[in-house]
Amino acid sequence: MRHFLTLKDYTKEEILDIISLGLAIKKELKSGNTIRHLSGQTLAMIFEKSSTRTRVSFETGMFQLGGHGLFLSHRDIHLGRGEPVKDTARVISSMCDMVMIRTFEHSKIEEFAAYSSVPVINGLTDSYHPVQLLADYMTMMEHSKAKNPVVAYIGDGNNMTHSWLMLAAKLGFELRVATPKGYEADAAIIAQAQQIAKASGALLRFTHDPKTAVRGATVVTTDTWASMGQEEEKEARLKIFEGFMVDDALMATADPDAIFLHCLPAYRNQEVSESVLEGAQSVVFDEAENRLHAQKGLMVWLNKQQKRQ
Ligand code: CP
Ligand code: NVA
């Protein structure tokens, strides 16, 4: 059975298939011709962290596909009171057709998946945010003119960085990551991505200088400097990350047709200036909408894999 925990477990062809399916379903929706690909199915959505986009896109997506999404906050289910992950996984997967989880440690979703009898989707862990990257690449396909993408990721070496590393490594494009010293991406994940990149020809570059990363890039992206769970570090990080804001001066050094991506929520005039976020090169709201379409593609794709078993 296939879960969707990281892009590491997927081939280039599979990633592109899922996105193509999402684009086809998007076209159906826009033409008013919605097909109930998942009629009568249920998706359990377990949230141990806040969410706007992930919750709304999965719940709406499931409804549009003819199914139903159950929002399960950790505050309301026994998981939050100490019922073991392996028990929760067996119970929920005995009643639902798919499970989406947003949690802290990546090992928790791995444990859940090991005990689940239905596909488990990662809706963000401390280590990865793979569904976001499906939407991000879909947005690049729609908005970027570049044949050979050069992506510059500026900021914290976090779950988004790790997911960009895996996407670039799998698809074979150039990714330049600029982080402050001490805030680099996880060394073990970098090593895995470098290993995968050998086969795909991806170029993965690392620097502490945002200008070096952005020069000539066709996509510029960033993320919050303090992720969920790091609230207490926020003040300190604001000082440490000075000089890493994506502003007009930095964007001006990218390719003239470069697009700006951000998974959102964005903190204006911290990791990105108000002018860049709201500027002509920013496609962040199309990117957010694409969460809906890309994840519908993913859920239909996973369902097809289930039927093949
Ligand atoms: N980008 C993203 O996952 O947003 P939410 O935290 O609002 O779900
Ligand atoms: N890195 C951020 C992404 C939010 C969608 C976080 O984990 O909080």
Side-chain angles (χ1 to χ4, degrees):
M1 186 181 43
R2 299 297 294 275
H3 299 294
F4 190 78
L5 304 189
T6 82
L7 296 172
K8 198 166 51 194
D9 313 323
Y10 280 72
T11 64
K12 173 179 182 171
E13 290 68 32
E14 287 172 336
I15 295 167
L16 295 177
D17 269 1
I18 292 167
I19 297 172
S20 302
L21 193 53
L23 282 167
I25 294 171
K26 178 175 183 178
K27 213 167 156 191
E28 274 172 24
L29 181 73
K30 300 281 178 188
S31 68
N33 172 28
T34 53
I35 302 175
R36 303 199 176 285
H37 298 272
L38 300 180
S39 179
Q41 300 210 14
T42 53
L43 170 76
M45 310 185 301
I46 302 174
F47 282 91
E48 296 198 304
K49 290 176 175 171
S50 305
S51 168
T52 300
R53 282 141 287 267
T54 305
R55 178 183 177 179
V56 175
S57 54
F58 271 110
E59 193 165 330
T60 304
M62 203 55 190
F63 176 77
Q64 290 175 350
L65 291 168
H68 178 71
L70 292 89
F71 174 70
L72 305 171
S73 156
H74 69 287
R75 280 183 289 274
D76 304 325
I77 60 173
H78 286 282
L79 186 65
R81 295 178 61 242
E83 184 168 15
V85 171
K86 58 186 181 183
D87 293 2
T88 309
R90 282 174 286 186
V91 171
I92 291 181
S93 67
S94 73
M95 301 181 206
C96 296
D97 300 286
M98 263 180 255
V99 183
M100 184 245 88
I101 307 180
R102 168 167 286 197
T103 188
F104 292 85
E105 306 88 355
H106 192 73
S107 56
K108 199 163 181 180
I109 199 168
E110 288 177 333
E111 185 187 356
F112 195 106
Y115 283 91
S116 171
S117 54
V118 299
V120 176
I121 298 171
N122 181 354
L124 183 147
T125 62
D126 289 345
S127 306
Y128 294 105
H129 195 7
V131 287
Q132 179 69 50
L133 271 288
L134 296 178
D136 291 4
Y137 199 71
M138 181 183 272
T139 312
M140 283 167 62
M141 286 166 70
E142 291 177 328
H143 288 281
S144 175
K145 295 183 185 140
K147 278 211 183 74
N148 297 309
V150 177
V151 179
Y153 175 94
I154 311 301
D156 186 28
N158 63 13
N159 45 11
M160 281 302 297
T161 327
H162 299 153
S163 301
W164 273 110
L165 283 166
M166 285 301 160
L167 186 78
K170 289 284 178 173
L171 300 194
F173 61 79
E174 181 172 346
L175 174 68
R176 306 170 185 164
V177 178
T179 58
K181 287 201 178 95
Y183 292 83
E184 293 87 357
D186 181 88
I189 294 175
I190 293 177
Q192 286 171 6
Q194 295 281 26
Q195 194 58 35
I196 298 167
K198 279 187 194 159
S200 69
L203 280 174
L204 308 178
R205 301 179 187 281
F206 302 89
T207 172
H208 297 299
D209 176 21
K211 289 194 197 79
T212 306
V214 172
R215 198 171 302 128
T218 63
V219 176
V220 180
T221 187
T222 182
D223 184 21
T224 180
W225 292 339
S227 286
M228 289 179 274
Q230 297 173 332
E231 288 75 10
E232 282 172 15
E233 293 176 41
K234 176 122 193 167
E235 282 310 307
R237 282 171 173 256
L238 283 177
K239 287 202 181 71
I240 294 162
F241 282 73
E242 260 174 35
F244 281 77
M245 185 198 295
V246 178
D247 59 12
D248 289 320
L250 193 58
M251 270 313 275
T253 66
D255 183 277
D257 290 325
I259 58 169
F260 174 75
L261 295 175
H262 190 311
C263 65
L264 306 179
Y267 296 86
R268 285 165 163 80
N269 302 323
Q270 293 181 21
E271 76 272 9
V272 57
S273 68
E274 166 88 19
S275 55
V276 168
L277 191 71
E278 299 287 356
Q281 287 167 287
S282 170
V283 290
V284 299
F285 295 107
D286 285 349
E287 178 188 2
E289 182 192 321
N290 278 338
R291 293 290 305 279
L292 171 69
H293 310 302
Q295 289 159 198
K296 284 167 80 181
L298 173 63
M299 290 191 287
V300 173
W301 190 91
L302 286 171
N303 182 249
K304 280 189 187 158
Q305 301 295 313
Q306 282 293 89
K307 284 190 191 144
R308 277 198 201 140
Q309 280 184 20

Coordinates of all heavy atoms in Angstrom, one line a residue, residues 49-51 53-54 102-103 123-129 132 153 156 158-161 223-231 262-265 267 291, ligand 2:
K49 N -1.5 20.6 14.9 CA -1.0 22.0 14.7 C -2.1 22.7 14.0 O -3.0 22.1 13.3 CB 0.2 22.0 13.9 CG 1.5 21.4 14.5 CD 2.6 21.5 13.5 CE 3.9 21.0 14.1 NZ 5.0 20.8 13.1
S50 N -2.0 24.1 14.0 CA -3.0 24.9 13.3 C -2.9 24.8 11.8 O -1.9 24.3 11.3 CB -2.7 26.4 13.6 OG -2.7 26.6 15.0
S51 N -4.0 25.2 11.1 CA -4.0 25.2 9.7 C -5.1 26.0 9.1 O -6.2 25.9 9.7 CB -4.1 23.7 9.2 OG -4.4 23.7 7.8
R53 N -5.0 26.6 5.1 CA -5.0 26.0 3.8 C -5.2 24.5 3.8 O -5.9 23.9 3.0 CB -3.7 26.3 3.1 CG -3.6 27.7 2.5 CD -2.2 28.3 2.7 NE -2.0 28.6 4.1 CZ -2.3 29.8 4.7 NH1 -2.7 30.8 3.9 NH2 -2.1 30.0 5.9
T54 N -4.4 23.8 4.6 CA -4.4 22.3 4.6 C -5.8 21.8 4.9 O -6.4 20.9 4.3 CB -3.3 21.8 5.5 OG1 -2.1 22.4 5.1 CG2 -3.2 20.3 5.4
R102 N -1.4 16.1 10.3 CA -0.4 17.2 10.6 C 0.0 17.0 12.0 O -0.7 17.1 12.9 CB -1.1 18.5 10.3 CG -0.3 19.7 10.8 CD -0.8 21.0 10.4 NE -0.4 21.2 9.0 CZ -0.4 22.4 8.4 NH1 -0.7 23.5 9.0 NH2 -0.1 22.5 7.1
T103 N 1.3 16.8 12.2 CA 1.9 16.6 13.5 C 3.3 17.2 13.7 O 3.8 17.9 12.8 CB 1.8 15.1 13.8 OG1 2.1 14.9 15.2 CG2 2.7 14.2 13.0
G123 N 0.3 15.9 6.0 CA -0.2 17.2 5.9 C 0.7 18.2 6.6 O 0.3 19.3 6.9
L124 N 1.9 17.8 6.9 CA 3.0 18.6 7.5 C 3.5 17.9 8.7 O 2.7 17.6 9.6 CB 2.6 20.1 7.8 CG 3.7 21.0 8.3 CD1 3.5 22.4 7.9 CD2 3.8 21.0 9.9
T125 N 4.8 17.7 8.8 CA 5.5 17.3 10.0 C 6.6 18.3 10.2 O 6.9 19.1 9.4 CB 6.1 15.9 10.0 OG1 7.1 15.9 8.9 CG2 5.0 14.8 9.7
D126 N 7.3 18.2 11.4 CA 8.5 19.0 11.6 C 9.5 18.9 10.5 O 10.3 19.8 10.2 CB 9.2 18.7 12.9 CG 8.3 19.1 14.1 OD1 7.4 19.9 13.9 OD2 8.6 18.7 15.2
S127 N 9.5 17.7 9.8 CA 10.6 17.4 8.8 C 10.2 17.7 7.4 O 11.0 18.0 6.5 CB 11.0 16.0 8.9 OG 11.4 15.6 10.2
Y128 N 8.9 17.5 7.0 CA 8.5 17.6 5.6 C 7.1 18.2 5.5 O 6.3 18.0 6.3 CB 8.4 16.2 5.0 CG 9.8 15.5 4.9 CD1 10.1 14.5 5.7 CD2 10.7 15.8 3.9 CE1 11.3 13.8 5.6 CE2 11.9 15.2 3.7 CZ 12.2 14.2 4.6 OH 13.4 13.5 4.5
H129 N 6.9 18.8 4.3 CA 5.5 19.2 3.9 C 5.3 18.9 2.4 O 5.2 19.8 1.6 CB 5.5 20.8 4.1 CG 4.1 21.3 4.1 ND1 2.9 20.5 4.1 CD2 3.6 22.6 4.2 CE1 1.9 21.3 4.1 NE2 2.2 22.5 4.2
Q132 N 2.5 20.4 0.0 CA 2.7 21.8 -0.4 C 3.5 21.8 -1.7 O 3.3 22.7 -2.6 CB 3.5 22.5 0.7 CG 3.8 24.0 0.4 CD 2.5 24.9 0.3 OE1 1.7 24.8 1.2 NE2 2.4 25.6 -0.8
Y153 N 15.8 29.1 -2.5 CA 15.0 29.1 -1.3 C 15.8 29.9 -0.2 O 17.0 29.5 0.0 CB 14.8 27.6 -0.8 CG 14.2 27.6 0.6 CD1 12.8 27.5 0.7 CD2 14.9 27.8 1.8 CE1 12.2 27.5 2.0 CE2 14.3 27.8 3.0 CZ 13.0 27.7 3.1 OH 12.4 27.7 4.3
D156 N 15.0 29.8 6.6 CA 15.2 28.7 7.6 C 15.3 27.4 6.9 O 14.5 27.0 6.1 CB 14.0 28.8 8.6 CG 14.3 27.8 9.8 OD1 15.5 27.6 10.1 OD2 13.3 27.3 10.3
N158 N 14.1 24.3 7.1 CA 13.0 23.6 7.8 C 12.3 22.6 6.9 O 12.9 22.1 5.9 CB 12.1 24.7 8.3 CG 11.4 25.5 7.1 OD1 11.5 25.1 6.0 ND2 10.8 26.6 7.4
N159 N 11.1 22.2 7.4 CA 10.3 21.2 6.6 C 10.1 21.6 5.1 O 10.1 20.8 4.3 CB 9.0 21.0 7.3 CG 8.2 22.2 7.8 OD1 8.6 23.4 7.4 ND2 7.2 22.1 8.6
M160 N 9.9 22.9 4.8 CA 9.8 23.4 3.4 C 11.1 23.2 2.7 O 11.1 22.7 1.6 CB 9.3 24.8 3.4 CG 7.8 25.0 3.6 SD 6.8 24.1 2.4 CE 7.3 24.9 0.9
T161 N 12.2 23.5 3.3 CA 13.5 23.3 2.7 C 13.7 21.8 2.3 O 14.2 21.5 1.2 CB 14.7 23.8 3.6 OG1 14.2 24.8 4.4 CG2 15.9 24.1 2.9
D223 N 10.0 31.0 3.5 CA 9.0 30.5 4.5 C 9.3 31.2 5.8 O 10.3 31.9 6.0 CB 9.2 29.0 4.6 CG 8.1 28.3 5.5 OD1 7.1 28.9 5.7 OD2 8.4 27.2 6.0
T224 N 8.3 31.1 6.7 CA 8.5 31.7 8.0 C 9.8 31.4 8.7 O 10.4 30.3 8.5 CB 7.3 31.3 8.9 OG1 7.5 31.9 10.2 CG2 7.3 29.8 9.2
W225 N 10.3 32.3 9.4 CA 11.6 32.1 10.2 C 11.4 31.3 11.4 O 12.3 30.8 12.0 CB 12.2 33.4 10.5 CG 12.7 34.1 9.3 CD1 13.0 33.6 8.0 CD2 13.0 35.5 9.1 NE1 13.4 34.6 7.2 CE2 13.5 35.8 7.8 CE3 13.0 36.6 10.0 CZ2 13.8 37.0 7.4 CZ3 13.3 37.9 9.6 CH2 13.8 38.1 8.2
A226 N 10.1 31.2 11.9 CA 9.8 30.5 13.1 C 8.6 29.6 12.8 O 7.5 30.1 12.8 CB 9.5 31.4 14.3
S227 N 8.8 28.3 12.7 CA 7.8 27.4 12.3 C 6.9 27.1 13.5 O 7.3 27.4 14.7 CB 8.4 26.1 11.8 OG 8.9 26.3 10.5
M228 N 5.8 26.4 13.3 CA 4.9 26.0 14.4 C 5.7 25.1 15.3 O 6.4 24.2 14.9 CB 3.7 25.3 13.8 CG 2.7 26.2 13.1 SD 1.3 25.3 12.4 CE 1.9 24.8 10.8
G229 N 5.6 25.5 16.6 CA 6.4 24.7 17.6 C 7.7 25.5 18.0 O 8.3 25.1 19.0
Q230 N 8.0 26.6 17.3 CA 9.2 27.3 17.6 C 8.9 28.8 18.0 O 9.7 29.7 17.9 CB 10.1 27.4 16.3 CG 10.6 26.1 15.9 CD 11.3 26.1 14.5 OE1 11.1 27.0 13.7 NE2 12.3 25.2 14.3
E231 N 7.6 28.9 18.5 CA 7.1 30.2 18.9 C 8.1 31.0 19.9 O 8.3 32.2 19.8 CB 5.7 30.2 19.4 CG 4.6 29.8 18.4 CD 4.6 28.4 18.0 OE1 5.3 27.5 18.6 OE2 3.8 28.1 17.0
H262 N 5.4 31.3 -1.9 CA 5.5 31.2 -0.4 C 4.3 30.3 0.0 O 3.2 30.5 -0.5 CB 5.3 32.6 0.2 CG 5.6 32.7 1.6 ND1 5.1 31.8 2.6 CD2 6.4 33.6 2.4 CE1 5.5 32.2 3.8 NE2 6.3 33.2 3.7
C263 N 4.6 29.3 0.8 CA 3.6 28.4 1.2 C 2.5 29.0 2.0 O 1.3 28.5 2.0 CB 4.1 27.2 1.9 SG 4.9 27.6 3.5
L264 N 2.8 30.2 2.6 CA 1.9 30.9 3.5 C 1.6 30.0 4.8 O 1.5 28.8 4.6 CB 0.5 31.3 2.8 CG 0.7 32.1 1.5 CD1 -0.7 32.4 0.9 CD2 1.4 33.4 1.8
P265 N 1.3 30.6 5.9 CA 1.1 32.0 6.2 C 2.5 32.8 6.1 O 3.5 32.3 6.5 CB 0.6 32.1 7.6 CG 1.0 30.8 8.2 CD 1.1 29.8 7.1
Y267 N 4.8 36.3 6.9 CA 5.0 37.3 7.9 C 5.6 38.5 7.1 O 6.8 38.5 6.8 CB 5.8 36.8 9.1 CG 5.1 35.8 9.8 CD1 5.1 34.4 9.4 CD2 4.2 36.1 10.8 CE1 4.4 33.4 10.0 CE2 3.4 35.1 11.4 CZ 3.5 33.8 11.0 OH 2.7 32.8 11.6
R291 N -3.3 24.1 -3.8 CA -3.3 23.0 -2.8 C -4.6 22.2 -3.0 O -4.5 20.9 -2.9 CB -3.4 23.7 -1.3 CG -2.1 24.4 -0.9 CD -1.0 23.5 -0.7 NE -1.3 22.4 0.3 CZ -1.2 22.6 1.6 NH1 -0.8 23.8 2.1 NH2 -1.6 21.6 2.4
Ligands
NVA2 N1 7.5 25.9 8.1 C1 6.2 26.2 8.5 C2 5.2 25.9 7.3 C3 3.8 26.3 7.5 C4 2.9 25.9 6.4 C5 5.7 25.5 9.7 O1 6.1 24.3 9.9 O2 5.1 26.1 10.6

